[in-house]
Amino acid sequence: DAMVIQNPRYQVTQFGKPVTLSCSQTLNHNVMYWYQQKSSQAPKLLFHYYDKDFNNEADTPDNFQSRRPNTSFCFLDIRSPGLGDAAMYLCATSSREAYEQYFGPGTRLTVT
Amino acid sequence: AQKITQTQPGMFVQEKEAVTLDCTYDTSDPSYGLFWYKQPSSGEMIFLIYQGSYDQQNATEGRYSLNFQKARKSANLVISASQLGDSAMYFCAMRGVLYNQGGKLIFGQGTELSVKP
């Protein structure tokens, strides 16, 4: 089945230690999104890729970076995680014309 | 600016009864889309239903229906015949404009629904 996959599902990292979260999709969608969802809050868009074009939200901290080496894969890099970066990170995809965004299962990040 | 408001932090419903989750929105765009997503405790976001601003009829998907009142800017989700598996967080979202390249989702704060046996 076509889907959005996120690895790992749970990630523990130390304060200040770089971490990379992975997202892959078999839907061949143009657009890939990364959302951050802190406990008891709504998801918030960090950035998105339209094909290879990277688009950062204005309030996304510089500590967060992303890479999209091909259509199928997208990575979220947190260069120096702080305790405040502990959250669920959700990857989503959509085709340009689609109304719906398809979400992966999320990666729950813990910072110790 | 676009905004979604969900005023019910938590709701309880008896199994097999219907429940309505409230959502109001604000936008100046003439064309927009409204979504409802379900998020169980496992964390995944599950798409439930979509309503376009120009759709003449209210959207329905199985036990889910969307009560769309454009003049009041409301898009309430109605779940009929609640099941225990419906217990989850429910988010109302609006499709925002994203450089005309697909659309980002702007979410409300969510309503946690608990279904009682």
Side-chain angles (χ1 to χ4, degrees):
Chain A
D1 289 339
M3 59 178 62
V4 181
I5 302 164
Q6 289 189 247
N7 287 306
R9 294 291 308 276
Y10 301 90
Q11 176 74 57
V12 180
T13 191
Q14 292 178 334
F15 182 94
K17 185 175 181 181
V19 66
T20 295
L21 309 183
S22 168
C23 178
S24 64
Q25 54 126 343
T26 60
L27 299 160
N28 204 34
H29 281 168
N30 303 103
V31 194
M32 294 188 77
Y33 310 81
W34 280 104
Y35 290 85
Q36 179 193 60
Q37 186 181 21
K38 294 187 177 181
S39 182
S40 302
Q41 295 185 19
K44 180 180 174 300
L45 184 66
L46 293 173
F47 28 60
H48 80 282
Y49 272 95
Y50 180 75
D51 289 333
K52 292 186 177 181
D53 293 332
F54 176 71
N55 296 276
N56 208 20
E57 291 296 294
D59 56 356
T60 297
D62 293 339
N63 198 26
F64 292 85
Q65 303 288 322
S66 187
R67 297 168 284 133
R68 189 179 186 186
N70 54 51
T71 300
S72 301
F73 285 88
C74 194
F75 300 98
L76 169 62
D77 301 309
I78 309 176
R79 293 192 295 190
S80 182
L83 298 179
D85 296 328
M88 173 74 86
Y89 290 87
L90 296 162
C91 174
T93 74
S94 73
S95 69
R96 178 178 175 172
E97 293 77 20
Y99 294 124
E100 179 184 344
Q101 287 186 18
Y102 294 80
F103 281 83
T107 295
R108 197 175 295 274
L109 179 68
T110 300
V111 182
T112 61
Chain B
Q2 295 174 312
K3 186 178 180 182
I4 293 283
T5 302
Q6 295 179 253
T7 57
Q8 306 154 313
M11 290 276 288
F12 288 92
V13 64
Q14 203 69 37
E15 192 179 8
K16 300 181 184 177
E17 292 185 351
V19 63
T20 298
L21 306 184
D22 294 341
C23 173
T24 58
Y25 61 92
D26 191 22
T27 181
S28 56
D29 292 332
S31 177
Y32 51 89
L34 296 159
F35 302 78
W36 278 92
Y37 281 85
K38 172 184 178 181
Q39 188 177 41
S41 56
S42 58
E44 60 188 305
M45 297 287 281
I46 302 168
F47 167 74
L48 295 178
I49 197 166
Y50 167 81
Q51 180 82 43
S53 58
Y54 291 116
D55 292 344
Q56 296 295 315
Q57 292 189 327
N58 287 343
T60 59
E61 289 286 349
R63 295 187 298 111
Y64 304 107
S65 60
L66 199 151
N67 183 2
F68 181 47
Q69 298 188 41
K70 194 170 183 178
R72 298 180 61 183
K73 293 190 174 180
S74 74
N76 298 339
L77 177 70
V78 180
I79 306 175
S80 63
S82 297
Q83 302 172 355
L84 296 178
D86 294 335
S87 294
M89 182 70 84
Y90 288 81
F91 287 99
C92 180
M94 172 181 290
R95 177 187 177 91
V97 176
L98 193 61
Y99 309 114
N100 294 320
Q101 299 169 352
K104 72 178 183 181
L105 291 176
I106 299 161
F107 289 88
Q109 287 304 106
T111 295
E112 182 152 16
L113 177 66
S114 298
V115 180
K116 295 181 176 180

